[in-house]
Amino acid sequence: MNLNQKRTLQRILNFLCRLVRCVRCPVAYHATDLCMAAGCRVLSSNSILCPNHFTPRKGVKNHEHVNVSWCFVCTEGGSLLCCESCPAAFHRECLNIEMPKGSWFCNDCKSGKKPRIKDILWVKVGRYRWWPAEVSHPKSIPENIQRMRHDVGEFPVHFFGSNDYLWTYQARVFPYMDVDANSKEKMGKGVDATYKKALEEAAERFRELQAEKELRQLQEDRETSTLQTHQGTVQIFTADLSEIPRCNCKASDDSPCGMDSECINRMLLYECHPQVCPAGEKCLNQAFTKREYSSVEIFRTLSRGWGLRCSHDIKKGQFVSEYVGEVIDEEECRSRIRDAQENDIGNFYMLTLDKDRIIDAGPKGNEARFMNHSCRPNCETQKWTVSGDTRVGLFALEDIPAGTELTFNYNLECLGNGKTVCKCGAPNCSGFLGVRPKNNPPASEDRGRKFKRRGRRKSRAVLTKEREDECFSCGDGGQLVSCKKPGCPKVYHADCLQLTRRPAGRWECPRHQCDICSKEAKSYCEMCPSSFCDQHKEGLLFKSKLDGKLCCTEHDPCGPNPLEPGEIREYQSPDTGGLQDTLKKKRKKKGGKEELSKSL
């Protein structure tokens, strides 16, 4: 294979690895039908609504959640522990767990496993028995089925042994397994001919899809091995037990190898090995190996995309999480950055491991990839030696109360060329990522005294960014349309503005016209393009309870029904007259320039 063929193969693999992201949560899939969950609603080339946002409709029988009446482990009935998201049920004894309090979800649902196109499933319809069916692509089903009402999260299935289709969702299906295809018990004498035909067709189709999957996996393995030869091999180190350092701790100590101990391995950032450490199973210096991560949750910040916060109190020096991802070399790192820039991808998750290796948490990673940068962070990165190899962990720099956002300094991260504006909001913010933070500013009184001695100083220029990187309407990146009004950095997707083509000439975004009268806007919502003139801002804009910024009623984070960025809710006015009609109308073309409609 020559160099041009290898580069072509690289571009194909990069396209297949392109991600589409949900606009309401951090879920992302590869942009292929084989990977994307069934029931996703495609909004644009890089944004979707995932099935997690399905809402059952009242009165619809096929929207009711149903569980099986037998255990998925032993197939016996009795007192069962039922999953809240899918039909799975288990005996508590079969799972060897204690009875949970409140809602409970099976391991597949916790890991985000969803039905996909061409999956074979058992489907429940009304009071009929569980019937085998195949998940169909929405574009390959008959037109009358396509026109049937269906919501985000619902997907069409084709029942074996018939020509029937149905729109269903995850709470009424469970996977068809190898044991189902090889089982003869369901083919008994009491089975009617239609059901028997369905079972035979399902078993045959299941084996056919398994063969296709094995062949596809074999081809991917061959392509990957060829690609790795071109990129260079990244070495993973493993030490012998004789090379792993041994500490002097004892099992009888109060906290052997703990944070308050005098463990020499912990001081030198070496993790103890369970077969070498004298403390044995009581050793408290095995956080990487045992994955003793702190409990965290992903949330949407006001101005910095997704963030990470702790669900419980974290003590100073405590292990928070490990920064994991694909380990690549420098050549592959540069190649990925070039491809990202060519595809207008501005977010990178690369962190230097050593001089020859880099961790890329973009394609694969854990919750640590959502941790934002701060010039005054509450966590730090530490490089530890675990079983002879270097690994990166995130540790608390201070006591962190529950609900606090977790941040660390990106000084180790590979951000590519150019500077990125920092939005951390810390008092010592440097203005750009990768630039050393300023010294802590003096107290207000000391600063006032200095001004009196030295006289009046010139005001410093405020660091502003010429253009933002994310759509102001939905918060995603990609192909963006920028406002041409001087001083306005806002950018939008054409789809979010309901534009059929990119605007030409001196186009101004809808943020600069009042939503009600189309006159010049004077007050703006900080979370969406809603804007109003002085006459109409009363009662529609107010100071947020969270940060004091102006926002509309729909985007108050402390309000009763807040909207996620990108979500739209029709404005309901107590005046059923002209105001509601005015908000619903689209603005007409004025002076040859196309203006857009907006709703609160």
Side-chain angles (χ1 to χ4, degrees), residues 529-545:
S530 295
S531 52
F532 304 94
C533 62
D534 290 338
Q535 181 182 357
H536 296 107
K537 69 179 181 180
E538 294 298 330
L540 297 178
L541 286 178
F542 62 97
K543 288 186 177 181
S544 171
K545 302 173 186 177

Side-chain angles (χ1 to χ4, degrees), residues 18 201 221 223 237 250 488 578 587:
R18 182 172 60 87
E201 290 182 1
D221 292 342
E223 292 173 354
F237 302 97
K250 300 178 182 179
C488 180
R587 297 177 182 168

Side-chain angles (χ1 to χ4, degrees), residues 59-77:
V60 180
K61 291 184 178 180
N62 284 328
H63 279 197
E64 296 176 358
H65 180 214
V66 61
N67 288 96
V68 298
S69 57
W70 66 88
C71 175
F72 268 25
V73 177
C74 66
T75 70
E76 298 292 334

Side-chain angles (χ1 to χ4, degrees), residues 222-354:
R222 290 175 179 173
E223 292 173 354
T224 303
S225 62
T226 304
L227 185 63
Q228 288 178 347
T229 304
H230 168 61
Q231 295 173 352
T233 304
V234 177
Q235 187 174 2
I236 304 298
F237 302 97
T238 304
D240 296 332
L241 293 180
S242 59
E243 299 175 353
I244 296 176
R246 179 186 179 95
C247 66
N248 298 321
C249 301
K250 300 178 182 179
S252 58
D253 295 343
D254 293 336
S255 58
C257 307
M259 288 193 298
D260 299 329
S261 67
E262 297 182 357
C263 178
I264 187 65
N265 281 356
R266 180 178 284 273
M267 294 178 184
L268 297 176
L269 303 185
Y270 277 89
E271 185 173 272
C272 296
H273 195 281
Q275 298 180 18
V276 177
C277 182
E281 296 180 354
K282 295 185 178 181
C283 175
L284 301 178
N285 185 27
Q286 298 176 22
F288 285 87
T289 303
K290 296 181 178 179
R291 298 183 181 180
E292 296 174 346
Y293 303 156
S294 300
S295 178
V296 294
E297 59 179 352
I298 302 165
F299 74 105
R300 186 81 179 188
T301 64
L302 289 175
S303 60
R304 292 172 293 132
W306 298 104
L308 196 69
R309 60 188 173 199
C310 54
S311 303
H312 58 82
D313 295 342
I314 298 177
K315 295 182 179 180
K316 180 179 180 180
Q318 184 176 334
F319 178 64
V320 177
S321 183
E322 181 182 4
Y323 198 90
V324 299
E326 290 184 342
V327 182
I328 59 177
D329 57 16
E330 187 176 355
E331 180 183 356
E332 173 63 10
C333 174
R334 292 177 179 175
S335 175
R336 293 188 180 188
I337 291 176
R338 285 196 302 268
D339 293 335
Q341 292 173 343
E342 291 174 0
N343 293 286
D344 294 328
I345 299 174
N347 295 324
F348 299 92
Y349 303 91
M350 299 179 183
L351 188 144
T352 303
L353 185 61
D354 51 40

Side-chain angles (χ1 to χ4, degrees), residues 84 86 95 101 105 109 123 143 159 180 188 221 260 268 294 300 318 387 395 424 435 466 473 534 572 577 586:
E84 297 287 342
C86 72
L95 296 180
K101 297 180 181 179
F105 300 91
C109 292
V123 183
E143 292 184 3
F159 292 101
D180 299 322
D221 292 342
D260 299 329
L268 297 176
S294 300
R300 186 81 179 188
Q318 184 176 334
S387 298
F395 292 80
C424 71
V435 178
E466 185 178 355
S473 181
D534 290 338
Q572 299 293 338
K586 293 185 176 180

Side-chain angles (χ1 to χ4, degrees), residues 372-435:
N372 282 320
H373 163 85
S374 176
C375 294
R376 182 176 286 178
N378 52 21
C379 296
E380 67 173 351
T381 56
Q382 294 181 8
K383 294 183 180 181
W384 282 60
T385 303
V386 182
S387 298
D389 203 358
T390 303
R391 291 162 73 168
V392 178
L394 293 156
F395 292 80
L397 284 171
E398 58 191 26
D399 292 339
I400 306 175
T404 305
E405 181 179 2
L406 301 173
T407 58
F408 73 101
N409 195 308
Y410 283 5
N411 53 9
L412 291 178
E413 189 167 357
C414 177
L415 296 173
N417 297 325
K419 290 185 178 181
T420 303
V421 173
C422 179
K423 301 178 181 179
C424 71
N428 63 332
C429 180
S430 63
F432 294 96
L433 298 184
V435 178

